[in-house]
């Protein structure tokens, strides 16, 4: 993205890290900044950084959404716009954070949290005026797909985990992927934003891929079936129901079309029927682009 | 969409048809208007209609893009914004029409021309800032998909055409679909808008599905292969190259994932890699929504 700097001029004026220290330069830090001693707190860092937009990228605590939620609140309290690639705050506290952003008069963006920068939230917000999202079905967890593919070829679950580790897609603990917790966080994030569900990952009915065996997958494959870990949402009279489950589908179902790290989401809507988006084999570049597109969108809106 | 009238207030002040005559009412026509005698010309109609936006919906002459191109020019000449669901003008004359719209200070929208209202042009324009489209691959022709599916089940080409007629997806002449001309028009439209190709459907290398036999398709199916009519574009040092061809793909390729009338498009980009959109079994409602979303977008921009 460096080649586009002249079209989209911006400066990184400060970086605060967990392990490497903190760097400040109001004139703009270089690509390889020199880090000084760490700021005593995120609050101190934000006060010294004198930025306009905060980009929040801490690792997810998948049981609470912290510390990202507190970091975002600290930014809002200082009148700073926020972009995050962290699904926790959107899965656990979207409704409250959105209200706080509005009250503070700042923008809050998070396109990268569910599909590595593929337009999902912006798709609905910018391009589908008047459309109500009635539900969705998504293959959103790369690790489980890589593991299932390995198991379909006869490898064990453990060998599948190793394969996913080698291509760098697992969370620190692969069981967050295998037991469907990552998919539940993404389902909650999508439902909170697109369907005003006001839910949390704990409320998602969840069943992962841990009990599947290579023998079972090979047998299903021979019958023209395939297993995919899906996140689903639907509106019911009792509110939005969310479910994560390893589902057996016909192999030619588009929900099985994603191989490897690819992700796919179908939105079930009132006016546009079933429409979908996908990314083929995304990586960190796509996540970075999601942050960039959020930054551009904030500049357009302020 | 009638339920959303209060959120998106608008009036239809005049309708000009080829066969039923012309209707005017500056206060807004009812859902079932009474048509009077036809206007003597499109120019006379536009002068009497006193509209702000013209919605152009004439049937396509797939060899020239007329009469839609002339209708759009007549609207621009009167300072009117234009929305069209007609691929002809975009496939044959996009670059010139775009310049004319800019010169006239009016908006020109056409989201429904390639994928029945699924955001494609708006996706790139609104949600992918800074992204360059390097090429695309799309399954964009419903009729050929319905025919190929019929032939895979052992039916003849003629029976496949009849199946497509029954679900109402064929152009007036099904050979425009079968020989790839419709796909070529869509390829040219996409390339003109997304890649500034300044091309026409005549410049698309084209080979349809007419020579395929049920026996061949069944044989490929047994080998795990599938045939799909694809529109492809790529940038070369000699300019944008466009190709329409019935391609043999692995059955688990996402480009084969669309069954029936569903459409799918993969954009090959610099910053976002390969990202795609699709619609499952769209119909006239989706095309109508494409026009509606263009109207909303025009109101947002003026």
């Amino acid at each position: 993205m460096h080649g586009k700097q002249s079209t989209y001029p911006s400066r990184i004026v400060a970086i605060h890290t967990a392990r490497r220290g903190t760097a400040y330069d109001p004139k703009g830090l270089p690509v390889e900044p020199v880090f000084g001693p760490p700021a005593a707190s995120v609050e101190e860092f934000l006060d010294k950084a004198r930025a306009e937009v905060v980009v929040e990228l801490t690792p997810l605590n998948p049981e609470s959404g912290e510390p990202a939620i507190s970091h975002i609140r600290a930014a809002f309290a200082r009148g700073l716009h926020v972009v995050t690639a962290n699904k926790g705050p959107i899965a656990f506290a979207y409704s409250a954070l959105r209200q706080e952003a509005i009250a503070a008069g700042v923008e809050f963006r998070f396109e990268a949290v569910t599909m590595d920068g593929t337009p999902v939230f912006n798709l609905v917000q910018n391009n589908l005026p008047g459309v109500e999202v009635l539900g969705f079905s998504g293959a959103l967890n790369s690790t489980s797909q890589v593991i299932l593919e390995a198991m379909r070829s006869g490898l064990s679950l453990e060998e599948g985990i190793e394969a996913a580790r080698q291509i760098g897609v697992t969370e620190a603990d692969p069981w967050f992927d295998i037991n469907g917790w990552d998919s539940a966080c993404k389902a909650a994030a999508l439902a909170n934003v697109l369907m005003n569900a006001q839910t949390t990952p704990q409320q998602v009915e969840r069943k992962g891929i841990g009990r599947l065996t290579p023998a079972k997958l090979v047998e299903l494959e021979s019958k023209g079936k395939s297993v995919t870990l899906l996140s689903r949402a639907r509106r019911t009279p009792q509110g939005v129901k969310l479910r994560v489950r390893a589902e057996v589908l016909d192999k030619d179902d588009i929900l099985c079309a994603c191989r490897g790290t690819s992700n796919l989401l179908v939105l079930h809507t009132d006016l546009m029927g079933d429409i979908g988006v996908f990314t083929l084999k995304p990586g960190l570049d796509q996540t970075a682009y999601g942050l960039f597109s959020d930054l551009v969108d904030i500049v357009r809106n302020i």
Side-chain angles (χ1 to χ4, degrees), chain A:
Chain A
M1 267 168 270
H2 287 125
K4 319 239 171 179
Q5 178 70 19
S6 59
T7 319
Y8 298 97
S10 61
R11 270 173 303 152
I12 296 172
V13 294
I15 304 176
H16 183 44
T17 72
R19 296 210 191 97
R20 297 215 285 165
T22 304
Y24 303 95
D25 187 342
K27 292 198 228 59
L29 289 162
V31 175
E32 298 284 353
V34 177
F35 288 91
S41 67
V42 165
E43 289 71 17
E44 181 197 294
F45 168 70
L46 292 175
D47 289 334
K48 276 201 195 163
R50 294 199 285 166
E52 291 172 277
V53 183
V54 175
V55 180
E56 212 289 334
L57 296 170
T58 54
L60 172 69
N61 174 330
E63 271 151 30
S64 68
E66 289 290 0
I69 294 172
S70 302
H71 294 170
I72 291 168
R73 289 200 159 122
F76 288 167
R78 286 158 180 78
L80 304 171
H81 309 294
V82 173
V83 173
T84 184
N86 193 320
K87 62 182 103 51
I90 316 303
F92 286 89
Y94 174 65
S95 179
L97 290 173
R98 179 167 178 268
Q99 291 306 323
E100 292 165 33
I102 291 168
V106 297
E107 300 282 329
F108 179 36
R109 297 299 156 104
F110 38 80
E111 190 63 279
V113 309
T114 56
M115 284 184 74
D116 302 295
T118 302
V120 176
F121 303 117
N122 288 333
L123 178 80
V124 174
Q125 165 130 10
N126 295 337
N127 302 340
L128 296 175
V131 163
E132 190 187 350
V133 176
L134 307 173
F136 58 79
S137 305
L140 304 172
N141 181 264
S142 302
T143 299
S144 69
Q145 287 173 198
V146 172
I147 293 173
L148 288 171
E149 257 177 71
M151 287 169 73
R152 264 195 294 274
S153 75
L155 298 177
S156 69
L157 177 70
E158 289 67 30
E159 290 167 316
I161 294 173
E162 191 47 41
R165 265 216 186 92
Q166 272 170 23
I167 58 172
V169 295
T170 50
E171 304 274 341
D173 179 348
W175 284 92
F176 284 122
D177 298 305
I178 293 165
N179 65 21
W181 189 255
D182 175 76
S183 298
C185 288
K186 286 172 177 164
L190 287 168
N192 282 340
V193 180
L194 301 179
M195 303 174 74
N196 188 28
Q198 309 202 24
T199 191
T200 66
Q202 281 88 350
Q203 292 172 263
V204 180
E205 185 199 315
R206 185 169 50 81
K207 210 175 190 174
I209 63 167
R211 285 187 226 173
L212 291 163
T213 61
K216 181 77 187 160
L217 291 171
V218 171
E219 185 206 325
L220 286 168
E221 187 87 356
S222 73
K223 292 180 183 161
K225 301 283 181 183
S226 194
V227 177
T228 305
L229 187 63
L230 294 180
S231 302
R232 298 216 194 230
R234 65 193 169 90
R235 238 181 237 299
T236 75
Q238 290 77 43
V240 176
K241 294 278 176 211
L242 295 171
R243 193 182 85 181
V244 168
R245 196 179 289 178
E247 295 190 31
V248 179
L249 300 167
D250 287 336
K251 264 161 76 178
D252 63 1
D253 192 311
I254 200 160
L255 291 167
C256 299
C258 278
R259 304 279 150 167
T261 60
S262 304
N263 291 152
L264 180 145
L265 178 69
V266 184
L267 300 173
H268 312 298
T269 77
D270 58 347
L271 301 182
M272 265 305 288
D274 290 345
I275 76 165
V277 286
F278 59 90
T279 330
L280 301 181
K281 307 215 163 81
L284 271 181
D285 281 356
Q286 275 77 2
T287 305
Y289 178 77
L291 296 167
F292 170 80
S293 75
D294 280 342
L295 286 166
V296 173
D297 217 42
I298 285 179
V299 174
R300 275 186 192 155
N301 276 271
I302 58 178

